């Protein structure tokens, strides 16, 4: 009524349409909120829209009007009188609706037809005094050339009725879409909560931005690691092994990138990287049952092992710093490294046997045997026999040049002058090293990158100083490994504990600049190892004297003092 009055007041349908749109939304929300069926709410909206028109009246389809007219013509006078009399007798709208539906249904059956316009035809009969205007619009249509797989699409064709389609799409928009979005939100929240509970982000391999895939890795270590993982994971194609077994054991002094290398491999192979921290376990943990862990930190690491076993597939289980763990704990993995690929574990408080045959599950252990006494660090013989053991800090036979070059390649990202080389053609690095050495067999025009003369001079200047520093680092590394391999009872000099790893090389490289002279370079090396030696407390003096001996810089007084220290 208000809309009709508004139409009469404003004399235009524009304002009425705006009011109708607002009222439509309001009445729909009002009815649905009170539990009214959606169809009733749509009927209410349709009523409002018709009332808002300049000429009030309900649209009637030509098909429904034709059905009523044919029905009336088919009735003889007596049948027509009986039909009208029956309608007058009934007071209930539901009864009148049922009666008209029965007559029209019987008529359609007699002529062998069906009609989707039957409800509208019944409405015309029941409400003959309601203003109406006929429409010749076609409600049915067919769309061709569809590629979807919806059940309603058959042979690339979709046949639909406009009124029915609008009703379904409205229900889809108002009910299905909000429900699906609520489901997505709830699922996302649930997954996020489970990810937090399982700490899943911790198991994604994170390759350091400073990681350099040097030639030593490409030509030596990656093929060796690949051969081992082929045994553990199996290879693709017809050559896939059925006797999957084994273990990868990496050892080296600290700073040679064991963990970084395996994270890179896991990332490239698409494996979940489960890293177990050996020092957090300690020598007292001997069981894979989290309930028997002595503290929360150890329990968390044991739970990681259980999580990896429970996941079972596409997993690289990495036990880091195993020199700080118990041999009895390491022994639990022996059966996993055999062809049977079984291991006892505990999940949610229940013991469980994990069968990993045929699954992409690999075990890698990494350790630094040089920082733990032989009485505490022992790898069970049966486990060592099943492992491929590689020392990243030692020189493989015939690979001296590649090993030495890797120190330069790994240090590229640490020096601002050399950093651009890490993203260019890797073949340029050995050529530049040869140029820095004064090798006349290499010319600047053989480089793949067009270096300016200024840039090339700076690069070569830094490389010359880096090569001098490398000599010290390599000598220190060799002495460190040799000293660690000696028994205390047979030593002729104090243990040498200064290290010469990639990490040491990078720390020195970041302080080198092109304008530096030899004395300044020596000062940088001195300062680096002096700072490192200060952590050795009483052993600092002996280690610095040994380093000076390696570098050939011992003074007369230092030579005498070094002889006294060794004699003592």
């Amino acid at each position: 009524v208000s809309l009709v009055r508004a139409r009469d007041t404003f004399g235009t349908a524009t304002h009425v349409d705006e009011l109708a749109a607002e009222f439509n939304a309001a009445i729909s929300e009002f009815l649905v909120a009170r539990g009214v069926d959606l169809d009733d709410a749509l009927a209410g909206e349709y009523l409002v829209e018709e009332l808002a028109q300049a000429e009030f009246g309900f649209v009637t389809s030509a098909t429904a009007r034709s059905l009523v007219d044919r029905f009336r013509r088919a009735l003889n006078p007596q049948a027509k009188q009986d039909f009208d009399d029956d309608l007058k007798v009934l007071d209930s709208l539901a009864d009148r609706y049922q009666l008209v539906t029965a007559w029209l249904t019987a008529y359609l059956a007699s002529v062998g037809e069906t009609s989707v316009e039957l409800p509208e035809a019944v409405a015309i009969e029941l409400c003959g005094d309601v203003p109406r205007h006929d429409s010749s619009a076609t409600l049915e249509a067919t769309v061709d050339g569809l590629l979807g797989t919806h059940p309603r699409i058959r042979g690339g064709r979709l046949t639909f009725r406009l009124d029915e389609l609008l009703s379904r799409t409205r229900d889809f928009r108002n009910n299905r879409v909000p429900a699906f979005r609520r489901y997505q939100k709830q699922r996302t929240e649930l997954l996020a909560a489970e990810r937090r509970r399982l700490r899943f982000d911790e198991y994604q391999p994170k390759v350091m931005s400073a990681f350099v895939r040097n030639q030593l890795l490409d030509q030596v270590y990656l093929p060796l690691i690949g051969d081992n993982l082929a045994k553990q994971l199996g290879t693709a194609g017809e050559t896939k092994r059925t006797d999957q077994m084994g273990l990868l054991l990496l050892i080296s002094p600290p700073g040679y990138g064991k963990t970084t290398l395996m994270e890179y491999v896991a990332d490239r192979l698409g494996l979940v990287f489960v890293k177990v921290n050996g020092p957090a376990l300690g020598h007292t943990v001997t069981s894979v049952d989290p309930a028997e862990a002595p503290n929360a930190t150890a329990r968390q690491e044991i739970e990681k092992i259980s999580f990896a076993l429970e996941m079972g597939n596409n997993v690289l289980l990495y036990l880091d710093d195993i020199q700080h763990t118990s041999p009895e704990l390491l022994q639990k993995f022996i059966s996993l490294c055999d062809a049977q690929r079984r291991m006892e574990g505990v999940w949610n408080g229940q013991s469980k046997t994990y069968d990993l045959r045929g699954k992409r599950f690999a075990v890698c252990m990494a350790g630094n045997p040089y920082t733990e006494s032989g009485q505490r660090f022992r790898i069970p013989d049966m486990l060592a026999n099943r492992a491929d053991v590689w020392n990243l800090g030692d020189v493989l036979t015939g690979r001296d040049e590649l090993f030495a070059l890797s120190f330069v390649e790994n240090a590229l990202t640490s020096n601002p002058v050399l950093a651009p080389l890490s993203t260019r053609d890797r073949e340029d690095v050995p050529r530049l090293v040869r140029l820095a050495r004064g090798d006349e067999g290499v010319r600047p025009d053989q480089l793949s990158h067009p270096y300016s003369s200024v840039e090339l001079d700076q690069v070569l200047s830094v490389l010359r100083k880096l090569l001098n520093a490398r000599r010290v680092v390599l000598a220190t590394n060799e002495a460190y490994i040799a000293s660690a391999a000696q028994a205390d009872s047979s030593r002729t000099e104090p243990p040498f504990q200064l290290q010469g790893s990639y990490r040491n090389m990078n720390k020195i490289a970041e302080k080198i600049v092109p304008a530096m002279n030899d004395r300044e370079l020596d000062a940088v090396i001195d300062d680096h190892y002096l700072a490192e030696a200060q952590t050795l407390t009483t052993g600092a003096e002996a280690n610095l004297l040994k380093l000076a001996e390696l570098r050939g810089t011992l003074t007369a007084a230092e030579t005498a003092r070094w002889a006294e220290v060794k004699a003592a």
Side-chain angles (χ1 to χ4, degrees):
V1 173
S2 297
L3 291 171
V4 173
R5 288 175 180 169
R7 180 195 66 209
D8 295 339
T9 300
F10 294 112
T12 174
T14 303
H15 299 81
V16 176
D17 291 343
E18 294 175 357
L19 290 171
E22 295 179 9
F23 193 71
N24 284 349
I27 193 172
S28 177
E29 181 179 354
F30 175 83
L31 294 173
V32 174
R34 282 154 181 77
V36 179
D37 185 79
L38 181 63
D39 290 337
D40 295 336
L42 294 177
E45 290 189 20
Y46 171 64
L47 175 61
V48 171
E49 290 177 3
E50 290 292 5
L51 287 172
Q53 298 302 317
E55 294 183 6
F56 174 69
F58 294 97
V59 176
T60 302
S61 68
T63 307
R65 176 68 70 182
S66 173
L67 173 59
V68 173
D69 292 342
R70 288 189 294 121
F71 166 68
R72 284 288 182 174
R73 289 195 300 268
L75 294 176
N76 58 49
Q78 183 60 44
K80 183 176 181 182
Q81 185 63 42
D82 293 340
F83 175 67
D84 292 336
D85 290 343
D86 289 343
L87 280 178
K88 293 176 182 178
V89 171
L90 299 175
D91 294 327
S92 169
L93 179 61
D95 294 340
R96 290 163 59 83
Y97 183 89
Q98 185 178 4
L99 176 65
V100 176
T101 302
W103 276 80
L104 287 173
T105 303
Y107 165 71
L108 289 171
S110 68
V111 296
E113 296 180 10
T114 59
S115 177
V116 294
E117 312 292 351
L118 180 60
E120 188 176 3
V122 173
I124 294 174
E125 279 291 348
L126 290 176
C127 308
D129 55 342
V130 173
R132 297 178 180 276
H133 52 87
D134 294 346
S135 172
S136 60
T138 301
L139 294 181
E140 290 191 0
T142 300
V143 181
D144 296 320
L146 298 178
L147 302 178
T149 58
H150 193 278
R152 291 177 177 269
I153 299 176
R154 298 177 181 178
R157 297 165 59 89
L158 173 64
T159 301
F160 63 91
R161 282 180 54 87
L162 183 60
D163 54 346
E164 181 264 347
L165 179 65
L166 292 176
S167 177
R168 283 193 298 107
T169 53
R170 179 165 183 159
D171 176 66
F172 183 80
R173 182 183 70 242
N174 293 340
N175 296 314
R176 297 286 295 277
V177 171
F180 179 71
R181 286 175 177 167
R182 288 194 300 271
Y183 156 73
Q184 283 186 312
K185 181 180 179 181
Q186 186 173 356
R187 183 186 65 174
T188 301
E189 291 174 351
L190 178 62
L191 288 175
E194 286 300 300
R195 280 179 174 272
R196 288 192 298 270
R197 185 181 69 84
L198 294 173
R199 304 186 304 276
F200 198 74
D201 290 341
E202 297 179 14
Y203 307 129
Q204 294 179 341
K206 301 177 181 63
V207 183
M208 295 173 56
S209 58
F211 175 77
V212 177
R213 185 167 164 174
N214 56 52
Q215 294 190 48
L216 182 68
L217 291 181
D218 272 353
Q219 299 182 29
V220 181
Y221 290 125
L222 286 181
L224 295 176
I225 292 173
D227 289 343
N228 177 269
L229 294 183
K231 289 191 293 185
Q232 294 197 62
L233 302 176
T235 54
E238 298 178 354
T239 59
K240 179 177 175 63
R241 294 176 58 131
T242 57
D243 57 335
Q244 297 174 11
M245 64 177 73
L247 167 72
L248 179 62
L249 178 58
L250 301 179
I251 61 173
S252 78
Y256 278 91
K258 299 182 291 295
T259 303
T260 302
L261 174 59
M262 293 314 299
E263 288 208 53
Y264 173 76
V265 171
D267 180 67
R268 302 305 296 172
L269 294 180
L271 301 175
V272 176
F273 188 72
V274 182
K275 176 187 173 184
V276 180
N277 188 8
L281 292 173
H283 290 282
T284 59
V285 175
T286 60
S287 171
V288 292
D289 185 355
E292 296 184 12
N295 53 62
T297 305
R299 181 165 58 252
Q300 178 176 309
E301 299 306 312
I302 293 296
E303 287 174 350
K304 288 182 181 179
I305 298 176
S306 301
F307 174 77
L309 294 172
E310 185 68 20
M311 189 179 302
N313 216 351
N314 292 323
V315 175
L316 174 58
L317 178 59
Y318 181 78
L319 279 72
D320 196 15
D321 289 327
I322 59 172
Q323 69 273 13
H324 299 299
T325 59
S326 166
E328 188 175 344
L329 176 66
L330 299 179
Q331 203 162 275
K332 308 287 185 186
F333 293 89
I334 292 177
S335 59
L336 185 60
C337 302
D338 278 334
Q340 60 178 340
R341 302 271 285 177
R342 293 174 183 266
M343 181 172 174
E344 301 299 322
V346 177
W347 183 253
N348 290 334
Q350 301 293 324
S351 60
K352 188 173 181 179
T353 300
Y354 292 96
D355 188 350
L356 301 173
R357 287 175 296 180
K359 295 184 177 180
R360 284 169 52 86
F361 190 97
V363 182
C364 176
M365 296 183 182
N368 171 21
Y370 308 112
T371 58
E372 191 72 71
S373 65
Q375 287 73 24
R376 303 202 71 183
F377 175 48
R378 292 184 180 275
I379 297 178
D381 293 341
M382 295 179 66
L383 188 66
N385 290 338
R386 289 160 174 77
D388 291 334
V389 184
W390 303 110
N391 189 336
L392 302 189
D394 209 350
V395 184
L396 275 71
T397 304
R399 299 294 184 174
D400 308 61
E401 285 295 325
L402 284 179
F403 183 72
L405 181 63
S406 68
F407 280 77
V408 175
E409 292 173 312
N410 279 6
L412 294 178
T413 55
S414 298
N415 186 280
V417 176
L418 302 181
L421 302 182
S422 63
T423 58
R424 296 172 184 168
D425 188 351
R426 289 189 297 170
E427 294 301 324
D428 276 357
V429 177
R431 296 190 187 107
L432 287 168
V433 170
R434 291 173 60 188
L435 279 173
R437 287 175 173 172
D439 189 341
E440 297 180 354
V442 182
R443 301 187 311 275
D445 58 5
Q446 294 176 326
L447 300 172
S448 62
H449 182 77
Y451 292 90
S452 67
S453 59
V454 175
E455 183 183 10
L456 185 59
D457 288 343
Q458 289 185 331
V459 168
L460 294 179
S461 176
V462 172
L463 280 176
R464 291 186 190 99
K465 297 170 179 59
L466 200 61
L467 292 177
N468 290 333
R470 186 183 67 177
R471 281 194 289 270
V472 177
V473 173
L474 286 174
T476 305
N477 175 69
E478 185 178 353
Y480 174 83
I481 293 178
S483 176
Q486 292 179 359
D488 290 339
S489 59
S490 61
R491 290 189 183 278
T492 59
E493 58 186 41
F496 184 64
Q497 295 174 294
L498 297 180
Q499 297 170 13
S501 66
Y502 292 142
R503 185 179 295 129
N504 297 94
M505 186 69 176
N506 288 2
K507 289 181 178 180
I508 295 173
E510 66 187 14
K511 298 179 177 68
I512 296 178
V513 295
M516 185 178 288
N517 56 39
D518 291 341
R519 182 183 300 175
E520 291 170 332
L521 176 62
D522 288 340
V524 167
I525 298 174
D526 290 340
D527 290 343
H528 170 76
Y529 279 109
L530 177 62
E532 186 173 310
Q534 288 173 347
T535 63
L536 302 177
T537 61
T538 57
E541 180 192 23
N543 278 266
L544 290 174
L545 289 172
K546 176 63 176 179
L547 178 64
E549 181 185 49
L550 293 174
R551 298 173 62 187
T553 60
L554 280 174
T555 63
E558 288 174 338
T559 301
R561 176 58 183 161
W562 181 228
E564 293 176 6
V565 170
K566 290 192 289 185

